[in-house]
Amino acid sequence: MSKSREDYPQPPRMIDEELVPFLESAPIARLATHNADGTTHIAPVWFKYVDGHILIPTQEKTRKSQNILRNPDVSVLIDTQEPPYTGVLIYGEGVLDYDQIFEKKLEIYRKYFSEDQLPDPYKLAEKFAPIVLRIIPKRIVTFDERA
């Protein structure tokens, strides 16, 4: 006999008004993609929440980028590291975004650096082919154990 969702205890959900501020302030996300051998690749990433999407700065040759080219299904976990735990789990589609890369990377870097400490994306591009991963949410699940 299979168990129903009601048989499994679920933590309370985050209220809608808290979702965007949480996504805008959380420092690190964990991106899960699918390796060619069927295993899961999970990486901590910098990100920025912009217009309903998660933007992640990276390079074209990274495993996460190559995995998304092969299979665009991704999961992103953004959560707190101390109790009471809160978080957001995003199931979505990953897209390699080549449009306005440097502007988008700078926008993401501003979340992590002051203006005088911003990395130069043009200098970084001398060694690596830069891209931005755009995560388009298909389903969002939240949890909030503060209640």
Side-chain angles (χ1 to χ4, degrees), residues 3 12-13 17 31 40 56 70 79 111 121 123-125:
K3 293 191 176 224
R13 293 188 173 143
E17 293 78 23
L31 173 67
T40 303
I56 300 169
R70 190 176 40 264
D79 61 347
K111 180 177 173 181
K123 185 103 174 136
L124 295 172

Side-chain angles (χ1 to χ4, degrees), residues 52-132:
H53 297 161
I54 301 291
L55 302 182
I56 300 169
T58 192
Q59 294 81 39
E60 203 170 43
K61 289 190 174 191
T62 61
R63 179 177 296 241
K64 54 189 162 283
S65 298
Q66 295 305 303
N67 284 350
I68 287 172
L69 281 174
R70 190 176 40 264
N71 180 345
D73 294 331
V74 301
S75 296
V76 178
L77 174 64
I78 303 164
D79 61 347
T80 59
Q81 299 300 298
E82 300 289 330
Y85 300 108
T86 57
V88 177
L89 178 57
I90 299 170
Y91 299 96
E93 176 186 0
V95 176
L96 277 61
D97 185 346
Y98 294 92
D99 188 40
Q100 300 178 319
I101 297 167
F102 298 112
E103 293 82 357
K104 288 176 186 166
K105 284 189 127 180
L106 278 172
E107 185 178 350
I108 297 165
Y109 292 158
R110 283 188 175 97
K111 180 177 173 181
Y112 299 93
F113 297 97
S114 62
E115 277 301 312
D116 61 328
Q117 295 178 327
L118 279 174
D120 182 350
Y122 295 97
K123 185 103 174 136
L124 295 172
E126 292 173 4
K127 295 183 180 181
F128 307 105
I131 60 165
V132 170

Side-chain angles (χ1 to χ4, degrees), residues 1-60:
M1 176 183 273
S2 66
K3 293 191 176 224
S4 71
R5 186 168 171 85
E6 291 80 34
D7 293 335
Y8 184 76
Q10 297 289 318
R13 293 188 173 143
M14 188 180 293
I15 62 171
D16 290 343
E17 293 78 23
E18 294 174 320
L19 180 62
V20 171
F22 180 81
L23 292 173
E24 290 176 343
S25 66
I28 299 294
R30 284 168 232 23
L31 173 67
T33 60
H34 301 278
N35 290 322
D37 65 2
T39 59
T40 303
H41 177 256
I42 303 174
V45 292
W46 287 350
F47 76 97
K48 184 155 182 166
Y49 182 72
V50 178
D51 297 329
H53 297 161
I54 301 291
L55 302 182
I56 300 169
T58 192
Q59 294 81 39
E60 203 170 43

